[in-house]
PDB file of all heavy atoms in Angstrom:
ATOM      1  N   HIS A  78     -26.400 -47.821 -37.321  1.00 85.00           N
ATOM      2  CA  HIS A  78     -25.820 -48.591 -36.274  1.00 85.00           C
ATOM      3  C   HIS A  78     -24.420 -49.080 -36.663  1.00 85.00           C
ATOM      4  O   HIS A  78     -23.932 -49.038 -37.788  1.00 85.00           O
ATOM      5  CB  HIS A  78     -26.669 -49.749 -35.891  1.00 85.00           C
ATOM      6  CG  HIS A  78     -26.774 -50.713 -36.944  1.00 85.00           C
ATOM      7  ND1 HIS A  78     -27.783 -50.666 -37.928  1.00 85.00           N
ATOM      8  CD2 HIS A  78     -26.119 -51.849 -37.245  1.00 85.00           C
ATOM      9  CE1 HIS A  78     -27.687 -51.704 -38.740  1.00 85.00           C
ATOM     10  NE2 HIS A  78     -26.676 -52.513 -38.392  1.00 85.00           N
ATOM     11  N   VAL A  79     -23.588 -49.485 -35.681  1.00 88.00           N
ATOM     12  CA  VAL A  79     -22.354 -50.093 -35.881  1.00 88.00           C
ATOM     13  C   VAL A  79     -22.507 -51.618 -35.936  1.00 88.00           C
ATOM     14  O   VAL A  79     -23.467 -52.097 -35.295  1.00 88.00           O
ATOM     15  CB  VAL A  79     -21.230 -49.668 -34.850  1.00 88.00           C
ATOM     16  CG1 VAL A  79     -21.026 -48.171 -34.969  1.00 88.00           C
ATOM     17  CG2 VAL A  79     -21.689 -50.090 -33.441  1.00 88.00           C
ATOM     18  N   THR A  80     -21.546 -52.354 -36.436  1.00 91.00           N
ATOM     19  CA  THR A  80     -21.468 -53.800 -36.345  1.00 91.00           C
ATOM     20  C   THR A  80     -20.287 -54.214 -35.506  1.00 91.00           C
ATOM     21  O   THR A  80     -19.198 -53.685 -35.630  1.00 91.00           O
ATOM     22  CB  THR A  80     -21.355 -54.340 -37.682  1.00 91.00           C
ATOM     23  OG1 THR A  80     -22.523 -54.068 -38.591  1.00 91.00           O
ATOM     24  CG2 THR A  80     -21.285 -55.906 -37.767  1.00 91.00           C
ATOM     25  N   ARG A  81     -20.539 -55.273 -34.691  1.00 92.00           N
ATOM     26  CA  ARG A  81     -19.445 -55.932 -33.875  1.00 92.00           C
ATOM     27  C   ARG A  81     -19.248 -57.308 -34.302  1.00 92.00           C
ATOM     28  O   ARG A  81     -20.179 -58.050 -34.363  1.00 92.00           O
ATOM     29  CB  ARG A  81     -19.831 -55.730 -32.383  1.00 92.00           C
ATOM     30  CG  ARG A  81     -19.902 -54.275 -31.792  1.00 92.00           C
ATOM     31  CD  ARG A  81     -20.372 -54.336 -30.361  1.00 92.00           C
ATOM     32  NE  ARG A  81     -20.203 -53.009 -29.772  1.00 92.00           N
ATOM     33  CZ  ARG A  81     -20.994 -51.967 -29.846  1.00 92.00           C
ATOM     34  NH1 ARG A  81     -22.093 -52.064 -30.695  1.00 92.00           N
ATOM     35  NH2 ARG A  81     -20.730 -50.794 -29.292  1.00 92.00           N
ATOM     36  N   PHE A  82     -17.993 -57.605 -34.551  1.00 91.00           N
ATOM     37  CA  PHE A  82     -17.617 -58.984 -34.953  1.00 91.00           C
ATOM     38  C   PHE A  82     -16.855 -59.782 -33.817  1.00 91.00           C
ATOM     39  O   PHE A  82     -15.987 -59.158 -33.237  1.00 91.00           O
ATOM     40  CB  PHE A  82     -16.780 -58.915 -36.235  1.00 91.00           C
ATOM     41  CG  PHE A  82     -16.201 -60.234 -36.631  1.00 91.00           C
ATOM     42  CD1 PHE A  82     -17.044 -61.114 -37.425  1.00 91.00           C
ATOM     43  CD2 PHE A  82     -15.038 -60.639 -36.268  1.00 91.00           C
ATOM     44  CE1 PHE A  82     -16.642 -62.342 -37.779  1.00 91.00           C
ATOM     45  CE2 PHE A  82     -14.552 -61.954 -36.648  1.00 91.00           C
ATOM     46  CZ  PHE A  82     -15.280 -62.800 -37.466  1.00 91.00           C
ATOM     47  N   PHE A  83     -17.254 -60.994 -33.734  1.00 91.00           N
ATOM     48  CA  PHE A  83     -16.593 -61.808 -32.772  1.00 91.00           C
ATOM     49  C   PHE A  83     -16.227 -63.181 -33.430  1.00 91.00           C
ATOM     50  O   PHE A  83     -17.125 -63.733 -33.997  1.00 91.00           O
ATOM     51  CB  PHE A  83     -17.378 -62.122 -31.492  1.00 91.00           C
ATOM     52  CG  PHE A  83     -17.713 -60.858 -30.733  1.00 91.00           C
ATOM     53  CD1 PHE A  83     -18.925 -60.285 -30.872  1.00 91.00           C
ATOM     54  CD2 PHE A  83     -16.758 -60.372 -29.849  1.00 91.00           C
ATOM     55  CE1 PHE A  83     -19.296 -59.172 -30.084  1.00 91.00           C
ATOM     56  CE2 PHE A  83     -17.106 -59.218 -29.155  1.00 91.00           C
ATOM     57  CZ  PHE A  83     -18.397 -58.614 -29.276  1.00 91.00           C
ATOM     58  N   GLY A  84     -14.995 -63.579 -33.443  1.00 90.00           N
ATOM     59  CA  GLY A  84     -14.623 -64.926 -33.884  1.00 90.00           C
ATOM     60  C   GLY A  84     -14.426 -65.855 -32.617  1.00 90.00           C
ATOM     61  O   GLY A  84     -13.662 -65.373 -31.644  1.00 90.00           O
ATOM     62  N   LEU A  85     -14.878 -67.039 -32.585  1.00 89.00           N
ATOM     63  CA  LEU A  85     -14.753 -67.904 -31.357  1.00 89.00           C
ATOM     64  C   LEU A  85     -13.813 -69.064 -31.747  1.00 89.00           C
ATOM     65  O   LEU A  85     -13.694 -69.549 -32.836  1.00 89.00           O
ATOM     66  CB  LEU A  85     -16.142 -68.369 -31.024  1.00 89.00           C
ATOM     67  CG  LEU A  85     -17.239 -67.442 -30.729  1.00 89.00           C
ATOM     68  CD1 LEU A  85     -18.572 -68.173 -30.341  1.00 89.00           C
ATOM     69  CD2 LEU A  85     -16.764 -66.507 -29.633  1.00 89.00           C
ATOM     70  N   ALA A  86     -13.126 -69.364 -30.600  1.00 88.00           N
ATOM     71  CA  ALA A  86     -12.105 -70.463 -30.703  1.00 88.00           C
ATOM     72  C   ALA A  86     -12.885 -71.817 -30.663  1.00 88.00           C
ATOM     73  O   ALA A  86     -14.080 -71.914 -30.375  1.00 88.00           O
ATOM     74  CB  ALA A  86     -11.082 -70.406 -29.563  1.00 88.00           C
ATOM     75  N   MET A  87     -12.081 -72.832 -30.815  1.00 88.00           N
ATOM     76  CA  MET A  87     -12.658 -74.283 -30.749  1.00 88.00           C
ATOM     77  C   MET A  87     -12.918 -74.624 -29.351  1.00 88.00           C
ATOM     78  O   MET A  87     -12.167 -74.252 -28.400  1.00 88.00           O
ATOM     79  CB  MET A  87     -11.728 -75.303 -31.355  1.00 88.00           C
ATOM     80  CG  MET A  87     -11.393 -75.036 -32.849  1.00 88.00           C
ATOM     81  SD  MET A  87     -12.793 -75.289 -33.856  1.00 88.00           S
ATOM     82  CE  MET A  87     -12.953 -77.040 -33.804  1.00 88.00           C
ATOM     83  N   VAL A  88     -13.884 -75.461 -28.966  1.00 88.00           N
ATOM     84  CA  VAL A  88     -14.213 -75.926 -27.699  1.00 88.00           C
ATOM     85  C   VAL A  88     -12.997 -76.719 -27.120  1.00 88.00           C
ATOM     86  O   VAL A  88     -12.542 -77.684 -27.863  1.00 88.00           O
ATOM     87  CB  VAL A  88     -15.506 -76.730 -27.553  1.00 88.00           C
ATOM     88  CG1 VAL A  88     -15.801 -77.205 -26.224  1.00 88.00           C
ATOM     89  CG2 VAL A  88     -16.613 -75.831 -28.128  1.00 88.00           C
ATOM     90  N   GLY A  89     -12.530 -76.460 -25.899  1.00 83.00           N
ATOM     91  CA  GLY A  89     -11.547 -77.209 -25.325  1.00 83.00           C
ATOM     92  C   GLY A  89     -10.141 -76.991 -25.989  1.00 83.00           C
ATOM     93  O   GLY A  89      -9.308 -77.805 -25.933  1.00 83.00           O
ATOM     94  N   ASN A  90      -9.805 -75.883 -26.636  1.00 84.00           N
ATOM     95  CA  ASN A  90      -8.651 -75.643 -27.363  1.00 84.00           C
ATOM     96  C   ASN A  90      -7.537 -75.578 -26.383  1.00 84.00           C
ATOM     97  O   ASN A  90      -7.619 -75.090 -25.189  1.00 84.00           O
ATOM     98  CB  ASN A  90      -8.765 -74.489 -28.277  1.00 84.00           C
ATOM     99  CG  ASN A  90      -8.770 -73.076 -27.447  1.00 84.00           C
ATOM    100  OD1 ASN A  90      -7.797 -72.493 -26.997  1.00 84.00           O
ATOM    101  ND2 ASN A  90     -10.080 -72.718 -27.154  1.00 84.00           N
TER     102      ASN A  90
END
Side-chain angles (χ1 to χ4, degrees):
H78 62 273
V79 298
T80 298
R81 292 173 169 83
F82 174 82
F83 299 99
L85 299 181
M87 301 294 289
V88 176
N90 66 88

